[in-house]
mmCIF file of all heavy atoms in Angstrom:
data_model
loop_
_atom_site.group_PDB
_atom_site.id
_atom_site.type_symbol
_atom_site.label_atom_id
_atom_site.label_comp_id
_atom_site.label_asym_id
_atom_site.label_seq_id
_atom_site.Cartn_x
_atom_site.Cartn_y
_atom_site.Cartn_z
ATOM 1 N N VAL A 351 -25.618 245.711 56.469
ATOM 2 C CA VAL A 351 -25.791 246.039 57.882
ATOM 3 C C VAL A 351 -27.238 245.737 58.223
ATOM 4 O O VAL A 351 -28.162 246.368 57.696
ATOM 5 C CB VAL A 351 -25.471 247.529 58.158
ATOM 6 C CG1 VAL A 351 -25.710 247.848 59.628
ATOM 7 C CG2 VAL A 351 -24.033 247.834 57.776
ATOM 8 N N LEU A 352 -27.451 244.740 59.097
ATOM 9 C CA LEU A 352 -28.795 244.207 59.328
ATOM 10 C C LEU A 352 -29.303 244.558 60.724
ATOM 11 O O LEU A 352 -28.888 243.958 61.708
ATOM 12 C CB LEU A 352 -28.798 242.686 59.153
ATOM 13 C CG LEU A 352 -28.319 242.159 57.799
ATOM 14 C CD1 LEU A 352 -28.344 240.640 57.790
ATOM 15 C CD2 LEU A 352 -29.178 242.712 56.673
ATOM 16 N N SER A 353 -30.199 245.510 60.799
ATOM 17 C CA SER A 353 -30.881 245.794 62.062
ATOM 18 C C SER A 353 -32.091 244.893 62.238
ATOM 19 O O SER A 353 -32.618 244.754 63.340
ATOM 20 C CB SER A 353 -31.328 247.257 62.109
ATOM 21 O OG SER A 353 -32.238 247.542 61.049
ATOM 22 N N SER A 354 -32.522 244.249 61.145
ATOM 23 C CA SER A 354 -33.724 243.412 61.193
ATOM 24 C C SER A 354 -33.533 242.188 62.081
ATOM 25 O O SER A 354 -34.516 241.645 62.611
ATOM 26 C CB SER A 354 -34.129 242.981 59.782
ATOM 27 O OG SER A 354 -33.065 242.312 59.132
ATOM 28 N N ILE A 355 -32.279 241.725 62.274
ATOM 29 C CA ILE A 355 -32.054 240.575 63.154
ATOM 30 C C ILE A 355 -32.421 240.947 64.582
ATOM 31 O O ILE A 355 -33.142 240.221 65.278
ATOM 32 C CB ILE A 355 -30.589 240.110 63.098
ATOM 33 C CG1 ILE A 355 -30.193 239.747 61.670
ATOM 34 C CG2 ILE A 355 -30.382 238.905 64.017
ATOM 35 C CD1 ILE A 355 -28.743 239.327 61.550
ATOM 36 N N GLY A 356 -31.920 242.082 65.048
ATOM 37 C CA GLY A 356 -32.249 242.530 66.400
ATOM 38 C C GLY A 356 -33.720 242.833 66.574
ATOM 39 O O GLY A 356 -34.298 242.577 67.633
ATOM 40 N N GLU A 357 -34.353 243.370 65.526
ATOM 41 C CA GLU A 357 -35.785 243.668 65.607
ATOM 42 C C GLU A 357 -36.603 242.385 65.736
ATOM 43 O O GLU A 357 -37.576 242.333 66.487
ATOM 44 C CB GLU A 357 -36.209 244.463 64.373
ATOM 45 C CG GLU A 357 -35.611 245.865 64.329
ATOM 46 C CD GLU A 357 -35.803 246.533 62.985
ATOM 47 O OE1 GLU A 357 -36.416 245.892 62.086
ATOM 48 O OE2 GLU A 357 -35.346 247.676 62.812
ATOM 49 N N ALA A 358 -36.203 241.345 64.999
ATOM 50 C CA ALA A 358 -36.904 240.062 65.106
ATOM 51 C C ALA A 358 -36.724 239.472 66.499
ATOM 52 O O ALA A 358 -37.676 238.969 67.108
ATOM 53 C CB ALA A 358 -36.376 239.090 64.048
ATOM 54 N N THR A 359 -35.510 239.561 67.027
ATOM 55 C CA THR A 359 -35.240 239.038 68.364
ATOM 56 C C THR A 359 -36.054 239.778 69.416
ATOM 57 O O THR A 359 -36.673 239.158 70.293
ATOM 58 C CB THR A 359 -33.744 239.161 68.691
ATOM 59 O OG1 THR A 359 -33.000 238.350 67.767
ATOM 60 C CG2 THR A 359 -33.452 238.707 70.109
ATOM 61 N N ASP A 360 -36.068 241.113 69.353
ATOM 62 C CA ASP A 360 -36.845 241.900 70.312
ATOM 63 C C ASP A 360 -38.320 241.541 70.264
ATOM 64 O O ASP A 360 -39.022 241.612 71.280
ATOM 65 C CB ASP A 360 -36.671 243.393 70.038
ATOM 66 C CG ASP A 360 -35.306 243.908 70.462
ATOM 67 O OD1 ASP A 360 -34.591 243.147 71.148
ATOM 68 O OD2 ASP A 360 -34.960 245.042 70.108
ATOM 69 N N SER A 361 -38.806 241.161 69.096
ATOM 70 C CA SER A 361 -40.222 240.802 68.947
ATOM 71 C C SER A 361 -40.515 239.387 69.404
ATOM 72 O O SER A 361 -41.682 238.968 69.401
ATOM 73 C CB SER A 361 -40.647 240.965 67.478
ATOM 74 O OG SER A 361 -40.486 242.301 67.059
ATOM 75 N N GLY A 362 -39.483 238.622 69.762
ATOM 76 C CA GLY A 362 -39.699 237.238 70.180
ATOM 77 C C GLY A 362 -39.854 236.281 69.014
ATOM 78 O O GLY A 362 -40.489 235.227 69.148
ATOM 79 N N ILE A 363 -39.274 236.627 67.862
ATOM 80 C CA ILE A 363 -39.371 235.791 66.670
ATOM 81 C C ILE A 363 -38.109 234.943 66.534
ATOM 82 O O ILE A 363 -36.991 235.462 66.584
ATOM 83 C CB ILE A 363 -39.548 236.651 65.401
ATOM 84 C CG1 ILE A 363 -40.779 237.550 65.529
ATOM 85 C CG2 ILE A 363 -39.646 235.773 64.168
ATOM 86 C CD1 ILE A 363 -42.082 236.808 65.664
ATOM 87 N N ALA A 364 -38.271 233.648 66.371
ATOM 88 C CA ALA A 364 -37.160 232.738 66.084
ATOM 89 C C ALA A 364 -37.154 232.443 64.591
ATOM 90 O O ALA A 364 -38.127 231.910 64.050
ATOM 91 C CB ALA A 364 -37.291 231.450 66.886
ATOM 92 N N LEU A 365 -36.082 232.813 63.893
ATOM 93 C CA LEU A 365 -35.991 232.590 62.456
ATOM 94 C C LEU A 365 -35.857 231.103 62.151
ATOM 95 O O LEU A 365 -35.167 230.376 62.874
ATOM 96 C CB LEU A 365 -34.795 233.351 61.883
ATOM 97 C CG LEU A 365 -34.792 234.866 62.117
ATOM 98 C CD1 LEU A 365 -33.526 235.490 61.531
ATOM 99 C CD2 LEU A 365 -36.030 235.524 61.544
ATOM 100 N N THR A 366 -36.505 230.668 61.061
ATOM 101 C CA THR A 366 -36.496 229.242 60.718
ATOM 102 C C THR A 366 -36.232 228.981 59.237
ATOM 103 O O THR A 366 -36.243 227.827 58.812
ATOM 104 C CB THR A 366 -37.840 228.592 61.102
ATOM 105 O OG1 THR A 366 -38.908 229.299 60.441
ATOM 106 C CG2 THR A 366 -38.070 228.639 62.602
ATOM 107 N N PHE A 367 -36.001 230.023 58.429
ATOM 108 C CA PHE A 367 -35.844 229.826 56.985
ATOM 109 C C PHE A 367 -34.480 229.220 56.658
ATOM 110 O O PHE A 367 -33.528 229.308 57.440
ATOM 111 C CB PHE A 367 -36.033 231.147 56.231
ATOM 112 C CG PHE A 367 -35.044 232.221 56.627
ATOM 113 C CD1 PHE A 367 -33.792 232.297 56.029
ATOM 114 C CD2 PHE A 367 -35.374 233.162 57.590
ATOM 115 C CE1 PHE A 367 -32.886 233.266 56.389
ATOM 116 C CE2 PHE A 367 -34.475 234.152 57.952
ATOM 117 C CZ PHE A 367 -33.228 234.209 57.354
ATOM 118 N N THR A 368 -34.389 228.606 55.499
ATOM 119 C CA THR A 368 -33.147 228.007 55.017
ATOM 120 C C THR A 368 -32.952 228.372 53.552
ATOM 121 O O THR A 368 -33.913 228.653 52.827
ATOM 122 C CB THR A 368 -33.166 226.476 55.147
ATOM 123 O OG1 THR A 368 -34.302 225.954 54.416
ATOM 124 C CG2 THR A 368 -33.270 226.044 56.595
ATOM 125 N N PHE A 369 -31.697 228.385 53.134
ATOM 126 C CA PHE A 369 -31.361 228.663 51.736
ATOM 127 C C PHE A 369 -30.283 227.676 51.315
ATOM 128 O O PHE A 369 -29.293 227.529 52.028
ATOM 129 C CB PHE A 369 -30.847 230.111 51.605
ATOM 130 C CG PHE A 369 -30.570 230.530 50.185
ATOM 131 C CD1 PHE A 369 -31.558 231.140 49.428
ATOM 132 C CD2 PHE A 369 -29.317 230.317 49.604
ATOM 133 C CE1 PHE A 369 -31.300 231.543 48.124
ATOM 134 C CE2 PHE A 369 -29.055 230.698 48.301
ATOM 135 C CZ PHE A 369 -30.055 231.319 47.564
ATOM 136 N N PRO A 370 -30.468 226.992 50.184
ATOM 137 C CA PRO A 370 -31.634 226.996 49.299
ATOM 138 C C PRO A 370 -32.899 226.494 49.996
ATOM 139 O O PRO A 370 -32.820 225.794 51.013
ATOM 140 C CB PRO A 370 -31.220 226.051 48.170
ATOM 141 C CG PRO A 370 -29.726 225.989 48.234
ATOM 142 C CD PRO A 370 -29.379 226.145 49.681
ATOM 143 N N ALA A 371 -34.033 226.848 49.434
ATOM 144 C CA ALA A 371 -35.303 226.525 50.068
ATOM 145 C C ALA A 371 -35.621 225.047 49.949
ATOM 146 O O ALA A 371 -35.247 224.391 48.977
ATOM 147 C CB ALA A 371 -36.420 227.343 49.423
ATOM 148 N N PRO A 372 -36.304 224.491 50.953
ATOM 149 C CA PRO A 372 -36.743 223.087 50.862
ATOM 150 C C PRO A 372 -37.930 222.968 49.909
ATOM 151 O O PRO A 372 -38.500 223.985 49.468
ATOM 152 C CB PRO A 372 -37.164 222.777 52.297
ATOM 153 C CG PRO A 372 -37.620 224.083 52.842
ATOM 154 C CD PRO A 372 -36.737 225.123 52.211
ATOM 155 N N GLU A 373 -38.299 221.763 49.596
ATOM 156 C CA GLU A 373 -39.465 221.558 48.745
ATOM 157 C C GLU A 373 -40.726 221.952 49.499
ATOM 158 O O GLU A 373 -40.835 221.735 50.706
ATOM 159 C CB GLU A 373 -39.558 220.098 48.307
ATOM 160 C CG GLU A 373 -38.420 219.653 47.391
ATOM 161 C CD GLU A 373 -38.623 218.233 46.903
ATOM 162 O OE1 GLU A 373 -39.715 217.660 47.188
ATOM 163 O OE2 GLU A 373 -37.716 217.708 46.255
ATOM 164 N N LEU A 374 -41.664 222.564 48.789
ATOM 165 C CA LEU A 374 -42.906 222.984 49.413
ATOM 166 C C LEU A 374 -43.729 221.781 49.845
ATOM 167 O O LEU A 374 -43.710 220.739 49.189
ATOM 168 C CB LEU A 374 -43.733 223.832 48.437
ATOM 169 C CG LEU A 374 -43.244 225.266 48.183
ATOM 170 C CD1 LEU A 374 -44.083 225.906 47.092
ATOM 171 C CD2 LEU A 374 -43.336 226.086 49.452
ATOM 172 N N PRO A 375 -44.474 221.921 50.958
ATOM 173 C CA PRO A 375 -45.358 220.819 51.369
ATOM 174 C C PRO A 375 -46.472 220.603 50.351
ATOM 175 O O PRO A 375 -46.662 221.419 49.449
ATOM 176 C CB PRO A 375 -45.908 221.325 52.717
ATOM 177 C CG PRO A 375 -45.752 222.813 52.670
ATOM 178 C CD PRO A 375 -44.520 223.075 51.866
ATOM 179 N N GLY A 376 -47.193 219.530 50.532
ATOM 180 C CA GLY A 376 -48.228 219.173 49.572
ATOM 181 C C GLY A 376 -49.267 220.260 49.358
ATOM 182 O O GLY A 376 -49.845 220.380 48.286
ATOM 183 N N SER A 377 -49.533 221.086 50.381
ATOM 184 C CA SER A 377 -50.546 222.136 50.260
ATOM 185 C C SER A 377 -50.110 223.249 49.327
ATOM 186 O O SER A 377 -50.948 223.992 48.801
ATOM 187 C CB SER A 377 -50.854 222.732 51.640
ATOM 188 O OG SER A 377 -49.689 223.350 52.182
ATOM 189 N N GLY A 378 -48.817 223.389 49.103
ATOM 190 C CA GLY A 378 -48.324 224.443 48.238
ATOM 191 C C GLY A 378 -48.256 225.801 48.900
ATOM 192 O O GLY A 378 -47.860 226.784 48.265
ATOM 193 N N ARG A 379 -48.623 225.898 50.173
ATOM 194 C CA ARG A 379 -48.590 227.177 50.882
ATOM 195 C C ARG A 379 -47.150 227.553 51.229
ATOM 196 O O ARG A 379 -46.319 226.696 51.506
ATOM 197 C CB ARG A 379 -49.421 227.091 52.159
ATOM 198 C CG ARG A 379 -50.901 226.849 51.913
ATOM 199 C CD ARG A 379 -51.663 226.773 53.223
ATOM 200 N NE ARG A 379 -51.511 227.991 54.000
ATOM 201 C CZ ARG A 379 -52.026 228.157 55.221
ATOM 202 N NH1 ARG A 379 -52.717 227.175 55.788
ATOM 203 N NH2 ARG A 379 -51.859 229.302 55.847
ATOM 204 N N ARG A 380 -46.887 228.833 51.205
ATOM 205 C CA ARG A 380 -45.546 229.311 51.537
ATOM 206 C C ARG A 380 -45.235 229.069 53.011
ATOM 207 O O ARG A 380 -46.113 229.155 53.874
ATOM 208 C CB ARG A 380 -45.412 230.797 51.221
ATOM 209 C CG ARG A 380 -45.323 231.109 49.730
ATOM 210 C CD ARG A 380 -45.088 232.596 49.526
ATOM 211 N NE ARG A 380 -44.841 232.909 48.137
ATOM 212 C CZ ARG A 380 -44.562 234.131 47.690
ATOM 213 N NH1 ARG A 380 -44.508 235.140 48.550
ATOM 214 N NH2 ARG A 380 -44.339 234.338 46.414
ATOM 215 N N LEU A 381 -43.968 228.797 53.278
ATOM 216 C CA LEU A 381 -43.537 228.556 54.652
ATOM 217 C C LEU A 381 -43.247 229.884 55.354
ATOM 218 O O LEU A 381 -42.828 230.858 54.710
ATOM 219 C CB LEU A 381 -42.265 227.698 54.646
ATOM 220 C CG LEU A 381 -42.372 226.326 53.981
ATOM 221 C CD1 LEU A 381 -40.982 225.706 53.873
ATOM 222 C CD2 LEU A 381 -43.304 225.433 54.767
ATOM 223 N N PRO A 382 -43.437 229.961 56.665
ATOM 224 C CA PRO A 382 -43.107 231.192 57.401
ATOM 225 C C PRO A 382 -41.595 231.355 57.531
ATOM 226 O O PRO A 382 -40.847 230.373 57.556
ATOM 227 C CB PRO A 382 -43.766 230.977 58.761
ATOM 228 C CG PRO A 382 -43.816 229.493 58.926
ATOM 229 C CD PRO A 382 -44.031 228.929 57.541
#
Side-chain angles (χ1 to χ4, degrees):
V351 178
L352 303 179
S353 61
S354 56
I355 302 178
E357 292 168 0
T359 297
D360 286 349
S361 299
I363 303 298
L365 302 178
T366 57
F367 60 86
T368 57
F369 184 91
E373 294 184 6
L374 286 174
S377 63
R379 296 180 59 183
R380 287 184 173 182
L381 301 171

